[in-house]
Amino acid sequence: MALPFKRSALTLLAASLAGALLGNTAQAEGKISIAQQFGIGYLILDVVRDQQLIEKHGKAQGLDIKVDWNSISGATAMNEALLTGSLDVVSAGVPPMLTVWDRTKGKQNVKAIASLGSMPNYLLTNNPNVKTLKDFSDKDRIAVPAAGVGFQSRTLQIETAKEFGNDQYKKFDDISVSLPHPDATAALIAGGSEINAHFSSPPFQYQALQNPNVHKVLSSYDVLGGQATFNVLYTTEKFHDENPKTYKAFYEALAEAEQIIKADKPAAAQAYIRVEQSKLPLALVEKIVTDPEIDFTVVPQRTFIYAEKLQELGVLKNKADSWKDYFFEEAHGGAGS
């Protein structure tokens, strides 16, 4: 009596395997789930969303792409969502992307898709006694989106190694607190809380600096020696390889969004307010978008400094020979670094 059941189960299994082999790639094409964090560093994605550019470039290939947009704070949550398959594409600073590239090398093979732009992040404080990094004490608390592992923490670690020696690179991890940018900004402006410093990003650092009690201690551009990529988008080799049309549409959408921003920055500022449902004054957003320190570009800049320094500090096990080692080939055409 058991034999027909086994045959039936095996037949069903074979059919499902055949269906998976024949149909999964085709079924997967046409869907993409994307997550971004908070701030104007994601303007390229906001324009992509506002103008429905992924859908547009999908249609050019005869594909109706369903796009699922998500907001998540912090690189740790981003990486978990990507590696569990909850999301197809995530975004974070260069160091968190390099960490997951390093850990998945030879497995999921996570790599970057494109830069989201170069912009400085400022380490701010409302403590009048803190003028340089060396002035921070155990009594201070520095807010960052992902303590110890995020863009801001890794940038701080690189500067700390420069100031105090490689063996001291984690010196300020103990006084770092994980807090989303909006909450950290509010705490810094209000004063009176344990949070008296914030390694911030646009637009939050502009808001905070409007308060006379807040001043800048350090810029990420100081650490990296000039204009450098802040955020990147990244995904797994599986998603890249199994969804060539969807991936192509996404990359082309990003490249078009860059051109749209550069062609009309005031309109891009309006798109940011629309998509983010931001309460920021339009004039402030326009000031940020037109700031000469900021370049909304898909071309990576100075990312290799992180790859070299973090490998030197032992954060990364794998040594990259160039920035192209951790970016998918679609990005290789530009004059990246």
Side-chain angles (χ1 to χ4, degrees), residues 69 75 81 92 115 148 153 190 197 214 219 228 270:
W69 294 96
S115 163
S153 274
V214 176
S219 166
Q270 290 175 346

Side-chain angles (χ1 to χ4, degrees), residues 93-110:
V94 176
M97 176 276 295
L98 284 169
T99 300
V100 77
W101 163 77
D102 184 57
R103 289 177 182 170
T104 64
K105 194 170 169 61
K107 293 174 280 189
Q108 295 103 320
N109 291 323
V110 170

Side-chain angles (χ1 to χ4, degrees), residues 297-329:
T297 174
V298 297
V299 178
Q301 295 179 313
R302 287 185 166 86
T303 66
F304 193 59
I305 293 170
Y306 283 109
E308 283 188 306
K309 295 292 183 185
L310 294 177
Q311 200 269 336
E312 181 186 309
L313 292 172
V315 174
L316 303 178
K317 292 178 183 174
N318 292 289
K319 185 175 174 61
D321 292 324
S322 85
W323 66 275
K324 292 181 179 180
D325 286 357
Y326 49 82
F327 271 83
F328 284 112
E329 57 268 22

Side-chain angles (χ1 to χ4, degrees), residues 115-132:
S115 163
L116 283 172
S118 294
M119 58 186 61
N121 279 219
Y122 295 163
L123 174 57
L124 307 173
T125 185
N126 58 19
N127 182 348
N129 299 319
V130 175
K131 299 287 192 281
T132 72

Side-chain angles (χ1 to χ4, degrees), residues 74-76 92-96 144-157 306:
T76 305
V94 176
V144 289
V149 296
F151 174 90
Q152 291 80 9
S153 274
R154 293 301 190 199
T155 305
L156 184 57
Q157 288 169 355
Y306 283 109

